[in-house]
Short mmCIF file of all heavy atoms in Angstrom, two decimals:
data_model
loop_
_atom_site.label_atom_id
_atom_site.label_comp_id
_atom_site.label_asym_id
_atom_site.label_seq_id
_atom_site.Cartn_x
_atom_site.Cartn_y
_atom_site.Cartn_z
N MET W 1 -9.49 14.79 11.55
CA MET W 1 -10.15 13.58 11.00
C MET W 1 -9.40 13.10 9.77
O MET W 1 -9.27 13.85 8.80
CB MET W 1 -11.59 13.92 10.60
CG MET W 1 -12.63 13.82 11.70
SD MET W 1 -12.76 12.20 12.50
CE MET W 1 -14.13 11.50 11.58
N PRO W 2 -8.94 11.87 9.77
CA PRO W 2 -8.31 11.35 8.54
C PRO W 2 -9.37 11.12 7.47
O PRO W 2 -10.50 10.77 7.77
CB PRO W 2 -7.68 10.03 9.00
CG PRO W 2 -8.44 9.63 10.22
CD PRO W 2 -8.93 10.90 10.86
N THR W 3 -8.98 11.35 6.25
CA THR W 3 -9.88 11.07 5.14
C THR W 3 -9.97 9.56 4.93
O THR W 3 -9.11 8.81 5.41
CB THR W 3 -9.37 11.71 3.84
OG1 THR W 3 -8.16 11.05 3.46
CG2 THR W 3 -9.11 13.19 4.00
N PRO W 4 -10.99 9.10 4.21
CA PRO W 4 -11.08 7.66 3.93
C PRO W 4 -9.82 7.13 3.25
O PRO W 4 -9.38 6.01 3.54
CB PRO W 4 -12.30 7.56 3.00
CG PRO W 4 -13.15 8.72 3.39
CD PRO W 4 -12.19 9.81 3.74
N LEU W 5 -9.23 7.93 2.37
CA LEU W 5 -8.01 7.46 1.69
C LEU W 5 -6.84 7.33 2.66
O LEU W 5 -6.05 6.40 2.56
CB LEU W 5 -7.64 8.42 0.56
CG LEU W 5 -8.54 8.32 -0.66
CD1 LEU W 5 -8.17 9.41 -1.67
CD2 LEU W 5 -8.43 6.96 -1.30
N GLU W 6 -6.75 8.25 3.59
CA GLU W 6 -5.69 8.14 4.59
C GLU W 6 -5.89 6.92 5.48
O GLU W 6 -4.94 6.25 5.85
CB GLU W 6 -5.64 9.42 5.44
CG GLU W 6 -5.04 10.58 4.68
CD GLU W 6 -5.23 11.90 5.41
OE1 GLU W 6 -6.08 11.97 6.33
OE2 GLU W 6 -4.54 12.85 5.05
N ARG W 7 -7.15 6.66 5.81
CA ARG W 7 -7.42 5.48 6.62
C ARG W 7 -7.06 4.21 5.87
O ARG W 7 -6.52 3.27 6.44
CB ARG W 7 -8.90 5.44 7.02
CG ARG W 7 -9.28 6.46 8.05
CD ARG W 7 -10.36 5.92 8.98
NE ARG W 7 -11.46 5.30 8.25
CZ ARG W 7 -12.53 5.97 7.84
NH1 ARG W 7 -12.64 7.25 8.08
NH2 ARG W 7 -13.48 5.35 7.19
N LEU W 8 -7.37 4.20 4.59
CA LEU W 8 -7.06 3.04 3.76
C LEU W 8 -5.56 2.82 3.70
O LEU W 8 -5.06 1.71 3.86
CB LEU W 8 -7.61 3.32 2.35
CG LEU W 8 -7.89 2.16 1.42
CD1 LEU W 8 -8.85 1.18 2.07
CD2 LEU W 8 -8.49 2.70 0.13
N ARG W 9 -4.82 3.89 3.48
CA ARG W 9 -3.37 3.76 3.39
C ARG W 9 -2.81 3.26 4.71
O ARG W 9 -1.95 2.39 4.75
CB ARG W 9 -2.74 5.10 3.04
CG ARG W 9 -1.25 4.95 2.76
CD ARG W 9 -0.62 6.26 2.40
NE ARG W 9 -0.83 7.24 3.46
CZ ARG W 9 0.06 8.17 3.80
NH1 ARG W 9 1.17 8.27 3.13
NH2 ARG W 9 -0.19 9.02 4.76
N ARG W 10 -3.33 3.80 5.79
CA ARG W 10 -2.85 3.39 7.10
C ARG W 10 -3.14 1.90 7.33
O ARG W 10 -2.36 1.19 7.94
CB ARG W 10 -3.52 4.22 8.18
CG ARG W 10 -2.83 4.13 9.51
CD ARG W 10 -2.97 5.43 10.26
NE ARG W 10 -2.53 6.56 9.47
CZ ARG W 10 -2.95 7.81 9.65
NH1 ARG W 10 -3.83 8.08 10.59
NH2 ARG W 10 -2.49 8.78 8.91
N ARG W 11 -4.28 1.46 6.83
CA ARG W 11 -4.62 0.06 7.00
C ARG W 11 -3.58 -0.83 6.32
O ARG W 11 -3.15 -1.83 6.88
CB ARG W 11 -6.01 -0.22 6.42
CG ARG W 11 -6.63 -1.46 7.01
CD ARG W 11 -7.98 -1.73 6.40
NE ARG W 11 -7.85 -2.43 5.16
CZ ARG W 11 -8.80 -2.51 4.23
NH1 ARG W 11 -9.94 -1.90 4.42
NH2 ARG W 11 -8.61 -3.19 3.15
N TYR W 12 -3.20 -0.47 5.12
CA TYR W 12 -2.18 -1.27 4.45
C TYR W 12 -0.83 -1.17 5.16
O TYR W 12 -0.12 -2.15 5.29
CB TYR W 12 -2.03 -0.86 2.99
CG TYR W 12 -3.16 -1.38 2.17
CD1 TYR W 12 -4.00 -0.53 1.49
CD2 TYR W 12 -3.40 -2.75 2.13
CE1 TYR W 12 -5.06 -1.02 0.77
CE2 TYR W 12 -4.45 -3.25 1.42
CZ TYR W 12 -5.30 -2.38 0.74
OH TYR W 12 -6.34 -2.86 0.04
N GLU W 13 -0.51 0.03 5.60
CA GLU W 13 0.77 0.20 6.27
C GLU W 13 0.86 -0.61 7.55
O GLU W 13 1.93 -1.02 7.96
CB GLU W 13 1.00 1.68 6.58
CG GLU W 13 1.32 2.47 5.33
CD GLU W 13 1.45 3.95 5.63
OE1 GLU W 13 1.03 4.38 6.72
OE2 GLU W 13 1.96 4.67 4.76
N THR W 14 -0.28 -0.85 8.17
CA THR W 14 -0.23 -1.54 9.45
C THR W 14 -0.58 -3.02 9.36
O THR W 14 -0.21 -3.78 10.24
CB THR W 14 -1.18 -0.87 10.47
OG1 THR W 14 -2.49 -0.83 9.92
CG2 THR W 14 -0.71 0.52 10.80
N THR W 15 -1.29 -3.42 8.32
CA THR W 15 -1.73 -4.82 8.30
C THR W 15 -1.09 -5.65 7.19
O THR W 15 -1.06 -6.87 7.28
CB THR W 15 -3.26 -4.94 8.14
OG1 THR W 15 -3.64 -4.45 6.87
CG2 THR W 15 -3.98 -4.18 9.24
N ASP W 16 -0.64 -5.00 6.14
CA ASP W 16 -0.17 -5.76 4.98
C ASP W 16 1.33 -5.57 4.83
O ASP W 16 1.81 -4.95 3.91
CB ASP W 16 -0.91 -5.28 3.73
CG ASP W 16 -0.84 -6.31 2.61
OD1 ASP W 16 -0.17 -7.34 2.78
OD2 ASP W 16 -1.44 -6.07 1.55
N LYS W 17 2.06 -6.10 5.78
CA LYS W 17 3.50 -5.88 5.83
C LYS W 17 4.31 -7.04 5.29
O LYS W 17 5.47 -6.89 5.00
CB LYS W 17 3.94 -5.67 7.29
CG LYS W 17 3.38 -4.44 7.94
CD LYS W 17 3.85 -4.42 9.37
CE LYS W 17 3.39 -3.16 10.08
NZ LYS W 17 3.88 -3.13 11.46
N LYS W 18 3.65 -8.20 5.22
CA LYS W 18 4.41 -9.39 4.91
C LYS W 18 4.41 -9.67 3.42
O LYS W 18 3.36 -9.75 2.79
CB LYS W 18 3.82 -10.57 5.67
CG LYS W 18 4.66 -11.83 5.56
CD LYS W 18 4.09 -12.92 6.45
CE LYS W 18 4.91 -14.18 6.33
NZ LYS W 18 4.40 -15.24 7.19
N CYS W 19 5.61 -9.83 2.87
CA CYS W 19 5.75 -10.13 1.46
C CYS W 19 5.26 -11.53 1.15
O CYS W 19 5.71 -12.49 1.78
CB CYS W 19 7.22 -9.99 1.06
SG CYS W 19 7.54 -10.48 -0.63
N PRO W 20 4.32 -11.67 0.19
CA PRO W 20 3.84 -13.02 -0.13
C PRO W 20 4.87 -13.85 -0.87
O PRO W 20 4.73 -15.08 -0.96
CB PRO W 20 2.61 -12.75 -1.01
CG PRO W 20 2.84 -11.40 -1.59
CD PRO W 20 3.66 -10.63 -0.59
N GLU W 21 5.87 -13.21 -1.42
CA GLU W 21 6.88 -13.94 -2.18
C GLU W 21 7.93 -14.58 -1.28
O GLU W 21 8.27 -15.75 -1.42
CB GLU W 21 7.58 -13.00 -3.17
CG GLU W 21 6.67 -12.43 -4.23
CD GLU W 21 6.12 -13.51 -5.16
OE1 GLU W 21 6.85 -14.46 -5.46
OE2 GLU W 21 4.95 -13.39 -5.56
N CYS W 22 8.46 -13.81 -0.36
CA CYS W 22 9.58 -14.31 0.43
C CYS W 22 9.28 -14.34 1.93
O CYS W 22 10.08 -14.86 2.70
CB CYS W 22 10.84 -13.47 0.16
SG CYS W 22 10.78 -11.82 0.88
N GLY W 23 8.15 -13.77 2.33
CA GLY W 23 7.78 -13.81 3.73
C GLY W 23 8.43 -12.73 4.59
O GLY W 23 8.22 -12.68 5.79
N TYR W 24 9.18 -11.84 3.94
CA TYR W 24 9.82 -10.76 4.68
C TYR W 24 8.75 -9.82 5.26
O TYR W 24 7.80 -9.46 4.57
CB TYR W 24 10.75 -9.98 3.74
CG TYR W 24 11.43 -8.81 4.40
CD1 TYR W 24 12.63 -8.99 5.09
CD2 TYR W 24 10.89 -7.54 4.32
CE1 TYR W 24 13.26 -7.93 5.69
CE2 TYR W 24 11.52 -6.45 4.93
CZ TYR W 24 12.70 -6.66 5.61
OH TYR W 24 13.32 -5.60 6.21
N VAL W 25 8.91 -9.45 6.51
CA VAL W 25 7.97 -8.53 7.14
C VAL W 25 8.59 -7.14 7.17
O VAL W 25 9.61 -6.92 7.82
CB VAL W 25 7.61 -8.99 8.57
CG1 VAL W 25 6.68 -7.98 9.23
CG2 VAL W 25 6.96 -10.37 8.52
N ASP W 26 7.97 -6.24 6.46
CA ASP W 26 8.49 -4.89 6.35
C ASP W 26 7.87 -4.01 7.43
O ASP W 26 6.77 -3.50 7.29
CB ASP W 26 8.14 -4.34 4.95
CG ASP W 26 8.72 -2.95 4.75
OD1 ASP W 26 9.41 -2.45 5.65
OD2 ASP W 26 8.46 -2.37 3.68
N GLU W 27 8.60 -3.85 8.50
CA GLU W 27 8.07 -3.08 9.64
C GLU W 27 7.90 -1.60 9.30
O GLU W 27 7.16 -0.89 9.96
CB GLU W 27 8.98 -3.23 10.86
CG GLU W 27 9.03 -4.63 11.43
CD GLU W 27 7.68 -5.06 12.02
OE1 GLU W 27 6.80 -4.21 12.22
OE2 GLU W 27 7.51 -6.27 12.26
N GLU W 28 8.60 -1.14 8.29
CA GLU W 28 8.48 0.26 7.90
C GLU W 28 7.18 0.52 7.14
O GLU W 28 6.73 1.65 7.05
CB GLU W 28 9.67 0.67 7.03
CG GLU W 28 11.02 0.56 7.71
CD GLU W 28 11.12 1.51 8.89
OE1 GLU W 28 10.74 2.69 8.73
OE2 GLU W 28 11.57 1.07 9.96
N GLY W 29 6.63 -0.54 6.56
CA GLY W 29 5.39 -0.36 5.80
C GLY W 29 5.56 0.61 4.66
O GLY W 29 4.85 1.61 4.56
N ASN W 30 6.51 0.33 3.78
CA ASN W 30 6.88 1.29 2.74
C ASN W 30 5.90 1.31 1.57
O ASN W 30 6.27 1.07 0.43
CB ASN W 30 8.28 0.96 2.21
CG ASN W 30 9.33 1.24 3.26
OD1 ASN W 30 9.43 2.34 3.77
ND2 ASN W 30 10.12 0.23 3.59
N TRP W 31 4.66 1.63 1.86
CA TRP W 31 3.68 1.78 0.80
C TRP W 31 3.79 3.17 0.20
O TRP W 31 3.90 4.16 0.91
CB TRP W 31 2.27 1.57 1.35
CG TRP W 31 2.00 0.13 1.67
CD1 TRP W 31 2.26 -0.48 2.87
CD2 TRP W 31 1.45 -0.85 0.82
NE1 TRP W 31 1.89 -1.80 2.78
CE2 TRP W 31 1.39 -2.06 1.54
CE3 TRP W 31 0.99 -0.83 -0.51
CZ2 TRP W 31 0.89 -3.22 0.98
CZ3 TRP W 31 0.49 -2.00 -1.05
CH2 TRP W 31 0.44 -3.18 -0.30
N THR W 32 3.71 3.22 -1.11
CA THR W 32 3.65 4.51 -1.77
C THR W 32 2.31 4.60 -2.48
O THR W 32 1.70 3.59 -2.81
CB THR W 32 4.78 4.68 -2.80
OG1 THR W 32 4.70 3.64 -3.77
CG2 THR W 32 6.14 4.62 -2.11
N SER W 33 1.85 5.81 -2.70
CA SER W 33 0.58 5.97 -3.39
C SER W 33 0.74 6.98 -4.51
O SER W 33 1.54 7.89 -4.45
CB SER W 33 -0.50 6.44 -2.41
OG SER W 33 -0.16 7.68 -1.86
N ARG W 34 -0.01 6.74 -5.57
CA ARG W 34 -0.06 7.71 -6.65
C ARG W 34 -1.48 7.72 -7.18
O ARG W 34 -2.25 6.79 -6.99
CB ARG W 34 0.94 7.36 -7.75
CG ARG W 34 0.71 6.03 -8.42
CD ARG W 34 1.87 5.68 -9.35
NE ARG W 34 2.00 4.25 -9.52
CZ ARG W 34 1.27 3.52 -10.39
NH1 ARG W 34 0.38 4.12 -11.14
NH2 ARG W 34 1.44 2.24 -10.49
N THR W 35 -1.83 8.80 -7.81
CA THR W 35 -3.18 8.92 -8.33
C THR W 35 -3.17 9.69 -9.63
O THR W 35 -2.32 10.56 -9.83
CB THR W 35 -4.11 9.59 -7.30
OG1 THR W 35 -5.43 9.66 -7.86
CG2 THR W 35 -3.64 10.99 -6.97
N ASP W 36 -4.10 9.34 -10.50
CA ASP W 36 -4.26 10.11 -11.72
C ASP W 36 -5.56 10.91 -11.66
O ASP W 36 -6.03 11.41 -12.67
CB ASP W 36 -4.22 9.20 -12.95
CG ASP W 36 -5.34 8.16 -12.94
OD1 ASP W 36 -6.25 8.24 -12.07
OD2 ASP W 36 -5.32 7.26 -13.80
N GLY W 37 -6.14 11.02 -10.49
CA GLY W 37 -7.38 11.76 -10.32
C GLY W 37 -8.61 10.87 -10.38
O GLY W 37 -9.65 11.24 -9.87
N ARG W 38 -8.49 9.75 -11.02
CA ARG W 38 -9.62 8.83 -11.11
C ARG W 38 -9.41 7.58 -10.29
O ARG W 38 -10.35 6.96 -9.84
CB ARG W 38 -9.84 8.41 -12.57
CG ARG W 38 -10.16 9.57 -13.47
CD ARG W 38 -10.26 9.10 -14.91
NE ARG W 38 -11.34 8.15 -15.06
CZ ARG W 38 -12.49 8.44 -15.66
NH1 ARG W 38 -12.70 9.62 -16.16
NH2 ARG W 38 -13.43 7.52 -15.77
N ARG W 39 -8.15 7.22 -10.17
CA ARG W 39 -7.82 6.02 -9.40
C ARG W 39 -6.67 6.35 -8.48
O ARG W 39 -5.89 7.26 -8.73
CB ARG W 39 -7.39 4.89 -10.33
CG ARG W 39 -8.47 4.41 -11.26
CD ARG W 39 -7.88 3.40 -12.20
NE ARG W 39 -6.65 3.92 -12.80
CZ ARG W 39 -5.70 3.18 -13.32
NH1 ARG W 39 -5.82 1.88 -13.33
NH2 ARG W 39 -4.63 3.73 -13.85
N ILE W 40 -6.58 5.60 -7.42
CA ILE W 40 -5.42 5.71 -6.55
C ILE W 40 -4.79 4.33 -6.44
O ILE W 40 -5.49 3.34 -6.31
CB ILE W 40 -5.77 6.32 -5.18
CG1 ILE W 40 -4.52 6.54 -4.35
CG2 ILE W 40 -6.79 5.47 -4.44
CD1 ILE W 40 -4.71 7.51 -3.21
N VAL W 41 -3.49 4.31 -6.56
CA VAL W 41 -2.76 3.05 -6.56
C VAL W 41 -1.78 3.04 -5.40
O VAL W 41 -0.93 3.93 -5.28
CB VAL W 41 -2.00 2.84 -7.89
CG1 VAL W 41 -1.23 1.51 -7.86
CG2 VAL W 41 -2.95 2.88 -9.08
N TYR W 42 -1.93 2.05 -4.54
CA TYR W 42 -0.97 1.85 -3.47
C TYR W 42 -0.01 0.75 -3.90
O TYR W 42 -0.42 -0.30 -4.36
CB TYR W 42 -1.68 1.43 -2.18
CG TYR W 42 -2.51 2.52 -1.60
CD1 TYR W 42 -3.89 2.52 -1.76
CD2 TYR W 42 -1.91 3.56 -0.91
CE1 TYR W 42 -4.66 3.53 -1.25
CE2 TYR W 42 -2.68 4.58 -0.39
CZ TYR W 42 -4.05 4.56 -0.55
OH TYR W 42 -4.81 5.57 -0.05
N ARG W 43 1.26 1.02 -3.72
CA ARG W 43 2.26 0.08 -4.19
C ARG W 43 3.29 -0.16 -3.11
O ARG W 43 3.69 0.75 -2.40
CB ARG W 43 2.93 0.67 -5.43
CG ARG W 43 3.92 -0.27 -6.10
CD ARG W 43 4.18 0.23 -7.52
NE ARG W 43 4.99 -0.72 -8.26
CZ ARG W 43 6.30 -0.65 -8.37
NH1 ARG W 43 6.97 0.35 -7.81
NH2 ARG W 43 6.96 -1.56 -9.05
N HIS W 44 3.68 -1.41 -3.01
CA HIS W 44 4.72 -1.77 -2.05
C HIS W 44 5.78 -2.60 -2.77
O HIS W 44 5.45 -3.53 -3.50
CB HIS W 44 4.13 -2.59 -0.91
CG HIS W 44 5.15 -3.02 0.09
ND1 HIS W 44 5.82 -4.22 0.01
CD2 HIS W 44 5.64 -2.39 1.17
CE1 HIS W 44 6.67 -4.30 1.02
NE2 HIS W 44 6.58 -3.21 1.75
N VAL W 45 7.02 -2.24 -2.55
CA VAL W 45 8.12 -3.03 -3.09
C VAL W 45 8.87 -3.64 -1.92
O VAL W 45 9.31 -2.95 -1.01
CB VAL W 45 9.07 -2.16 -3.95
CG1 VAL W 45 10.25 -3.00 -4.44
CG2 VAL W 45 8.32 -1.55 -5.12
N CYS W 46 9.00 -4.95 -1.97
CA CYS W 46 9.68 -5.66 -0.89
C CYS W 46 11.17 -5.29 -0.88
O CYS W 46 11.84 -5.43 -1.89
CB CYS W 46 9.51 -7.16 -1.09
SG CYS W 46 10.41 -8.14 0.12
N PRO W 47 11.68 -4.84 0.26
CA PRO W 47 13.10 -4.49 0.33
C PRO W 47 14.00 -5.72 0.31
O PRO W 47 15.21 -5.60 0.12
CB PRO W 47 13.22 -3.74 1.65
CG PRO W 47 12.05 -4.15 2.46
CD PRO W 47 10.97 -4.55 1.50
N SER W 48 13.43 -6.88 0.48
CA SER W 48 14.23 -8.10 0.51
C SER W 48 14.35 -8.75 -0.87
O SER W 48 15.44 -9.12 -1.30
CB SER W 48 13.61 -9.08 1.51
OG SER W 48 14.34 -10.28 1.53
N CYS W 49 13.21 -8.88 -1.60
CA CYS W 49 13.26 -9.60 -2.87
C CYS W 49 12.77 -8.76 -4.05
O CYS W 49 12.71 -9.25 -5.17
CB CYS W 49 12.46 -10.90 -2.78
SG CYS W 49 10.67 -10.64 -2.78
N ASP W 50 12.39 -7.51 -3.80
CA ASP W 50 11.93 -6.60 -4.85
C ASP W 50 10.59 -6.97 -5.48
O ASP W 50 10.22 -6.42 -6.50
CB ASP W 50 12.98 -6.46 -5.96
CG ASP W 50 14.13 -5.55 -5.56
OD1 ASP W 50 13.93 -4.75 -4.62
OD2 ASP W 50 15.20 -5.66 -6.17
N ALA W 51 9.89 -7.92 -4.89
CA ALA W 51 8.55 -8.20 -5.39
C ALA W 51 7.66 -6.98 -5.13
O ALA W 51 7.75 -6.37 -4.07
CB ALA W 51 7.97 -9.43 -4.68
N SER W 52 6.84 -6.64 -6.09
CA SER W 52 5.96 -5.49 -5.89
C SER W 52 4.51 -5.94 -5.85
O SER W 52 4.11 -6.92 -6.48
CB SER W 52 6.16 -4.45 -6.98
OG SER W 52 5.79 -4.97 -8.23
N ARG W 53 3.75 -5.23 -5.05
CA ARG W 53 2.32 -5.48 -4.92
C ARG W 53 1.60 -4.16 -5.14
O ARG W 53 2.09 -3.11 -4.76
CB ARG W 53 2.00 -5.97 -3.50
CG ARG W 53 2.54 -7.33 -3.20
CD ARG W 53 2.20 -7.72 -1.78
NE ARG W 53 3.11 -7.09 -0.83
CZ ARG W 53 2.85 -6.92 0.45
NH1 ARG W 53 1.71 -7.29 0.94
NH2 ARG W 53 3.73 -6.37 1.25
N GLU W 54 0.43 -4.25 -5.70
CA GLU W 54 -0.36 -3.04 -5.90
C GLU W 54 -1.81 -3.28 -5.52
O GLU W 54 -2.34 -4.37 -5.74
CB GLU W 54 -0.32 -2.60 -7.38
CG GLU W 54 0.97 -1.94 -7.76
CD GLU W 54 0.88 -1.35 -9.17
OE1 GLU W 54 -0.15 -1.53 -9.85
OE2 GLU W 54 1.86 -0.73 -9.58
N HIS W 55 -2.41 -2.25 -4.95
CA HIS W 55 -3.86 -2.24 -4.73
C HIS W 55 -4.39 -0.99 -5.43
O HIS W 55 -3.89 0.10 -5.19
CB HIS W 55 -4.19 -2.17 -3.24
CG HIS W 55 -3.78 -3.39 -2.48
ND1 HIS W 55 -4.45 -4.58 -2.58
CD2 HIS W 55 -2.77 -3.58 -1.61
CE1 HIS W 55 -3.86 -5.47 -1.78
NE2 HIS W 55 -2.84 -4.89 -1.19
N THR W 56 -5.37 -1.17 -6.25
CA THR W 56 -5.91 -0.05 -7.00
C THR W 56 -7.35 0.23 -6.57
O THR W 56 -8.14 -0.70 -6.42
CB THR W 56 -5.89 -0.36 -8.51
OG1 THR W 56 -4.56 -0.69 -8.90
CG2 THR W 56 -6.36 0.84 -9.33
N PHE W 57 -7.66 1.49 -6.37
CA PHE W 57 -9.00 1.89 -6.00
C PHE W 57 -9.49 2.97 -6.95
O PHE W 57 -8.73 3.84 -7.35
CB PHE W 57 -9.03 2.44 -4.56
CG PHE W 57 -8.59 1.42 -3.56
CD1 PHE W 57 -7.27 1.35 -3.19
CD2 PHE W 57 -9.50 0.51 -3.04
CE1 PHE W 57 -6.83 0.37 -2.29
CE2 PHE W 57 -9.08 -0.45 -2.15
CZ PHE W 57 -7.76 -0.52 -1.77
N THR W 58 -10.74 2.88 -7.28
CA THR W 58 -11.35 3.89 -8.12
C THR W 58 -11.98 4.95 -7.24
O THR W 58 -12.66 4.63 -6.27
CB THR W 58 -12.42 3.26 -9.03
OG1 THR W 58 -11.81 2.20 -9.77
CG2 THR W 58 -12.98 4.29 -10.00
N LEU W 59 -11.71 6.20 -7.56
CA LEU W 59 -12.22 7.31 -6.76
C LEU W 59 -13.61 7.70 -7.23
O LEU W 59 -13.93 7.62 -8.41
CB LEU W 59 -11.29 8.51 -6.87
CG LEU W 59 -9.87 8.32 -6.35
CD1 LEU W 59 -9.02 9.53 -6.68
CD2 LEU W 59 -9.88 8.09 -4.85
N GLY W 60 -14.38 8.17 -6.28
CA GLY W 60 -15.67 8.75 -6.62
C GLY W 60 -16.78 7.78 -6.95
O GLY W 60 -16.64 6.67 -7.24
ZN1 LIG V 1 9.87 -10.32 -0.61
#
C-alpha cells in the first residue's frame, strides 16, 4: 500500500509535467521531495528553462 505522501508524489509525477513558463513537457517527471519533519516540499526544475515550481504540504 502506498502511503498518502507517495500517492501525492505520484500524482505530481504523472499529472503536473508541463512547465508553465515554457510549455516543456517533462516526461521523466523529475520531482524531488524534501522534508524537515513538519512540512514536505515537492520541487520540480524544468530541464528546458530552469524554471522551478514547488508544492508545500504540512504534515500531521
Ligand atoms: Zn520550462
